[in-house]
């Protein structure tokens, strides 16, 4: 009998070193769930899963291609499966034992749920990252993620019907999660919860992390947001893209401005949402 809930993740060679911890955290979930893995060029996945066969029911989809192609193939796969709830998780993170329980509880009222983050690295586990800015149970609309995002493919849970609201993915996207959930929130509000906060691993390969702002990081945020607004295509989105293009040009040409911008951003007592930093540099 199929369980109503599945945890979905993508595994690629760069995350294999973290995979054992990830799977062990899923085995401790208070609520039962299946595990769905899209495996991108992972050698001998059967060997990696052998240690977890007694505690978890794992279904594997082999995938290849670009990041966008892999995410599109994964979405298409999930649409054909019978689960009621999907809990998205990154295979380099660790899930608290109440992640699935918290997700299902919130999904009884909302179609989209964002869980808070607990960043961790060599220095251990940090405090909840966004809980001082967003209330437990706070509703979030599309407007709330117009210029930044908190709904990631590592910390968000959805009802099955949300998969049908996801549009086809343009190939040039860099922030796939932001694009998907922006569309998913078109006619409804999602919710932010402090429960089931994801242990969010910080390392150099994170496209979006919680590290200090640098000039290169700031330039990358501009590029990510420009690709996002290009994909949205509306007049307002193109205005945002134009403003970001101007900001990127200034960061590249004016080193003094770039350094001062980074200094001021790092002085702010703010736990930035994903891609939010540029919002403080232009209106």
């Amino acid at each position: 009998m199929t369980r109503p809930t599945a945890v979905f993740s993508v595994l690629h060679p760069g995350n294999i070193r973290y995979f054992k911890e990830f799977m062990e955290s899923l085995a401790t979930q208070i609520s039962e769930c299946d595990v769905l893995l899209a495996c991108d060029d992972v050698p001998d996945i059967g060997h990696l899963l052998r240690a977890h066969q007694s505690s978890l029911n794992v279904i594997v989809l082999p995938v290849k291609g670009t990041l966008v192609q892999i995410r599109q193939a994964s979405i298409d796969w999930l649409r054909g499966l019978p689960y009621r709830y999907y809990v998205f998780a990154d295979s380099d993170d660790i899930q608290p034992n109440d992640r699935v329980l918290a997700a299902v509880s919130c999904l009884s009222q909302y179609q989209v749920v964002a869980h808070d983050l607990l960043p961790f690295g060599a220095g251990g586990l940090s405090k909840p990252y966004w809980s001082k800015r967003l209330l437990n149970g706070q509703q979030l609309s599309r407007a709330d993620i117009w210029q930044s995002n908190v709904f990631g493919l590592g910390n968000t849970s959805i009802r099955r019907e949300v998969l049908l609201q996801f549009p086809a993915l343009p190939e040039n996207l860099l922030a796939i999660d932001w694009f998907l959930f922006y569309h998913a929130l078109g006619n409804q509000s999602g919710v932010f919860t402090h429960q089931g906060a994801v242990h969010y691993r910080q390392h150099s390969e994170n496209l979006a992390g919680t590290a200090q702002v640098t000039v290169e990081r700031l330039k990358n945020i501009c590029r990510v947001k420009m690709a996002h607004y290009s994909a949205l295509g509306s007049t307002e989105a193109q205005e945002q893209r134009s403003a970001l293009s101007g900001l990127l040009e200034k960061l590249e040409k004016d080193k003094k401005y770039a350094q001062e911008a980074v200094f001021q951003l790092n002085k702010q007592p703010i736990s930035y949402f994903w891609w939010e930093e540029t919002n403080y540099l232009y209106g």
Side-chain angles (χ1 to χ4, degrees):
M1 180 177 178
T2 301
R3 295 183 174 102
T5 307
V7 174
F8 170 77
S9 189
V10 175
L11 178 63
H12 56 81
N15 280 1
I16 289 176
R17 55 185 160 165
Y18 310 120
F19 186 62
K20 183 174 182 288
E21 282 184 283
F22 171 70
M23 293 296 284
E24 287 174 349
S25 72
L26 295 182
T28 66
Q29 292 300 304
I30 297 169
S31 294
E32 289 188 339
C33 60
D34 288 345
V35 179
L36 308 175
L37 281 179
C39 291
D40 172 21
D41 197 25
V42 177
D44 198 6
I45 181 62
H47 174 73
L48 292 174
L49 292 175
R50 198 164 297 138
H52 310 287
Q53 287 177 339
S54 63
S55 56
L56 293 167
N57 180 38
V58 184
I59 305 170
V60 173
L61 173 71
V63 290
K64 284 189 177 181
T66 65
L67 184 60
V68 168
Q69 290 168 347
I70 288 169
R71 287 297 184 181
Q72 187 65 66
S74 300
I75 291 168
D76 294 342
W77 180 46
L78 297 181
R79 283 174 176 153
L81 298 176
Y83 299 96
R84 187 184 310 162
Y85 305 123
Y86 289 95
V87 177
F88 292 112
D90 284 335
S91 57
D92 56 346
D93 292 337
I94 296 174
Q95 308 305 310
N97 66 1
D98 65 339
R99 171 77 198 279
V100 172
L101 180 67
V104 171
S105 176
C106 291
L107 290 170
S108 67
Q109 293 181 272
Y110 300 92
Q111 292 192 10
V112 185
V113 178
H115 302 255
D116 200 3
L117 307 175
L118 289 168
F120 78 100
L125 200 62
S126 300
K127 295 179 180 179
Y129 196 60
W130 290 326
S131 292
K132 288 186 177 180
R133 299 188 63 186
L134 296 172
L135 299 174
N136 187 41
Q138 182 171 336
Q139 294 184 37
L140 298 172
S141 69
R142 174 184 279 187
D144 292 311
I145 60 168
W146 171 241
Q147 288 188 305
S148 59
N149 187 35
V150 297
F151 293 90
L153 286 168
N155 75 316
T156 301
S157 306
I158 64 170
R159 291 186 196 169
R160 183 181 186 279
E161 50 264 39
V162 174
L163 293 169
L164 305 178
Q165 300 165 23
F166 286 165
L169 295 171
E171 183 58 39
N172 67 335
L173 275 179
L174 298 173
I176 296 170
D177 46 10
W178 191 12
F179 182 79
L180 290 173
F181 292 117
Y182 180 79
H183 283 277
L185 294 179
N187 299 311
Q188 63 187 320
S189 291
V191 69
F192 183 82
T193 180
H194 297 179
Q195 309 304 314
V198 175
H199 297 190
Y200 184 46
R201 192 185 301 271
Q202 299 301 289
H203 54 77
S204 60
E205 296 174 19
N206 274 356
L207 180 61
T210 61
Q212 277 203 326
V213 183
T214 65
V215 172
E216 286 308 310
R217 181 177 173 82
L218 196 52
K219 291 178 183 177
N220 185 59
I221 290 170
C222 288
R223 297 185 187 104
V224 167
K225 296 179 81 167
M226 288 167 64
H228 175 71
Y229 290 122
S230 290
L232 292 182
S234 67
T235 299
E236 189 177 5
Q238 295 314 307
E239 290 173 354
Q240 289 289 322
R241 188 192 183 285
S242 178
L244 285 157
S245 178
L247 175 59
L248 178 59
E249 183 177 2
K250 189 170 184 179
L251 290 169
E252 289 177 331
K253 290 184 176 180
D254 190 337
K255 293 184 178 179
K256 183 177 179 181
Y257 169 79
Q259 292 294 340
E260 178 62 22
V262 165
F263 176 74
Q264 292 299 329
L265 287 170
N266 284 323
K267 277 179 58 179
Q268 298 287 338
I270 295 172
S271 296
Y272 292 111
F273 301 140
W274 287 313
W275 323 120
E276 185 184 21
E277 291 89 336
T278 57
N279 301 351
Y280 293 84
L281 300 180
Y282 70 95

